[in-house]
Amino acid sequence: MSAKRFFASDYAEARSKFLEAAATTGGRMQSYRHPLKGPKGEALATDVLRIGSPSARNVVVIQSATHGVEGFCGSGTQVGWLRLGDWKKLPKNVAVLLVHAINPHGFAWVRRVTQENVDLNRNFPDFSRLPKRPALAELMPHVAPDAWNDATGAARRAAFAAFVAKHGPMGLQETISGGQYDYPDGIFYGGREPTWSHRTFEAIVGKYLTRAKRVAFIDMHTGLGPYGHGELITMGRPGDEKFDRAVAWYGDAVTSPEAGTSTSAKLEGLMERALARMLPKAEVTPIAVEYGTYPTGFVMESLMADNWLHLRGDLASEQGRKIKADIRKAFYPDEDDWKELVLLKARLVFRRAIANLAA
Ligand SMILES: [Zn+2]
């Protein structure tokens, strides 16, 4: 069966596909309205669907669009899971909470960040003791240049190559993508305060999860790793309770930046750590499903270009349209085979989470 019908071409279509599929389940739905509009004047919201017995204390949370544009993928898996009827096989002691577009503004504007130019998955640090990343200072003129052209591109590639020669490829990746709190005009900026999406996440957790005993948190991402491959990423090392539980549930292929086995760098200010803090009495087992798209160089260039475009460029120009097409492609390969791979893996991951919570 073709997967592509579950995936959308823009945020508004994704939202209506989700709401229509959700309505067929008889589950409890709620919308958290966003104060701003999308590029076509469309309403923005985070939509939540809870399926399962009201008394179930084991909850699987499946979230899309933490990184806006990556929501094309996550939304498609949520809609597919609903439309293919997987929810009908839910055990009595497990509920599923689908969080559709936790960062609807980024999704609608085809951006990774929130409207505050913040990376939502770096926006959960201890704001009274923000992490520092001094090595980033020498790279910032190249990460966020005043102009986006061949000359600034050549200077950036030279600066990055010199940095890699000293610190290695993962050193560059961690410095740029690990999360930073000093450059609001940069990328992977974690912010100085909770964003709208951060506060909405807290509201959802407060309303739907405070009585849960066990929570499986599945956060859907794209942009790292081989095309169509869904890497299962958790935090910690072998021997840590959370890490070992994730391996027991999802298999030996689970990776972790701390263990040095992931395509992802070590990250600051993560949502999944905040979730565990918000639910101190619950057993929380988080996993990020990270689907590969295209080579990391293209993905990173598209992010820096998009950041420049929204800060200093012209969205309506030919260059602006090219940059928007590139970032969309970098996080959402609009290919049928990619969508098939994505949905297949997602259904298997959701099934394992549900089965392990039911056990
Ligand atoms: Zn992501």
Side-chain angles (χ1 to χ4, degrees):
M1 185 178 294
S2 170
K4 69 177 177 187
R5 64 198 166 103
F6 307 126
F7 292 77
S9 59
D10 61 20
Y11 164 75
E13 190 193 359
R15 186 179 187 212
S16 53
K17 277 179 189 284
F18 178 75
L19 293 178
E20 283 163 24
T24 65
T25 66
R28 177 178 165 197
M29 292 167 69
Q30 189 183 358
S31 294
Y32 295 79
R33 288 201 55 172
H34 193 282
L36 302 174
K37 301 272 190 225
K40 296 162 197 151
E42 67 272 41
L44 304 178
T46 297
D47 298 295
V48 176
L49 168 67
R50 188 188 186 281
I51 306 177
S53 161
S55 63
R57 294 288 173 266
N58 304 308
V59 186
V60 178
V61 183
I62 302 169
Q63 179 164 284
S64 63
T66 297
H67 291 138
V69 58
E70 301 172 22
F72 286 107
C73 167
S75 172
T77 66
Q78 291 172 324
V79 171
W81 184 80
L82 291 171
R83 285 292 186 193
L84 293 168
D86 293 359
W87 60 274
K88 292 176 187 163
K89 297 165 224 155
L90 210 53
K92 282 220 166 10
N93 63 346
V94 179
V96 169
L97 187 69
L98 295 176
V99 180
H100 187 266
I102 189 65
N103 169 13
H105 190 272
F107 191 168
W109 286 89
V110 191
R111 305 204 67 197
R112 193 170 168 282
V113 290
T114 65
Q115 73 268 26
E116 300 93 344
N117 202 42
V118 165
D119 180 334
L120 180 57
N121 207 26
R122 311 289 183 276
N123 186 227
F124 292 80
D126 176 350
F127 286 105
S128 67
R129 287 188 311 145
L130 287 171
K132 289 284 173 197
R133 205 171 282 286
L136 187 57
E138 67 177 277
L139 296 174
M140 272 313 290
H142 303 289
V143 169
D146 290 334
W148 192 263
N149 55 40
D150 290 347
T152 59
R156 178 172 54 258
R157 282 187 290 280
F160 283 12
F163 196 91
V164 167
K166 257 194 273 175
H167 306 285
M170 190 45 96
L172 178 70
Q173 187 181 334
E174 186 170 324
T175 301
I176 292 178
S177 75
Q180 54 89 6
Y181 298 87
D182 290 319
Y183 305 99
D185 287 358
I187 57 176
F188 300 96
Y189 174 58
R192 294 287 176 93
E193 58 188 9
T195 57
W196 181 89
S197 292
H198 174 136
R199 296 193 308 273
T200 301
F201 181 73
E202 284 180 339
I204 293 167
V205 172
K207 175 150 184 184
Y208 292 95
L209 297 176
T210 48
R211 292 166 71 206
K213 283 208 174 83
R214 302 169 76 213
V215 175
F217 181 57
I218 305 174
D219 202 19
M220 307 302 285
H221 291 264
T222 65
L224 280 178
Y227 182 89
H229 173 65
E231 180 181 342
L232 302 177
I233 308 175
T234 192
M235 298 295 143
R237 293 185 171 81
D240 296 350
E241 189 190 315
K242 268 197 176 62
F243 179 91
D244 289 349
R245 194 165 56 241
V247 171
W249 287 16
Y250 297 109
D252 289 341
V254 167
T255 67
S256 156
E258 281 78 21
T261 52
S262 176
T263 59
S264 170
K266 290 182 209 138
L267 310 175
E268 303 285 353
L270 289 179
M271 208 168 205
E272 62 171 66
R273 294 208 187 100
L275 179 63
R277 285 198 298 273
M278 284 180 231
L279 302 173
K281 290 187 196 135
E283 174 202 282
V284 179
T285 309
I287 198 107
V289 190
E290 177 71 69
Y291 291 103
T293 56
Y294 298 106
T296 307
F298 171 67
V299 174
M300 293 299 289
E301 281 278 310
S302 81
L303 280 180
M304 290 181 280
D306 185 67
N307 185 54
W308 172 83
L309 176 65
H310 282 264
L311 286 172
R312 302 189 177 96
D314 175 6
L315 279 163
S317 67
E318 192 185 329
Q319 184 185 26
R321 286 196 299 274
K322 165 84 166 69
I323 288 172
K324 292 314 295 182
D326 278 351
I327 186 169
R328 189 181 197 277
K329 178 177 174 175
F331 291 94
Y332 181 44
D334 211 347
E335 305 281 355
D336 294 352
D337 58 3
W338 190 81
K339 293 169 193 173
E340 300 281 346
L341 288 165
V342 159
L343 182 59
L344 174 68
K345 179 69 174 238
R347 293 177 75 196
L348 299 176
V349 171
F350 302 165
R351 196 166 78 194
R352 281 201 183 216
I354 291 164
N356 279 287
L357 276 189

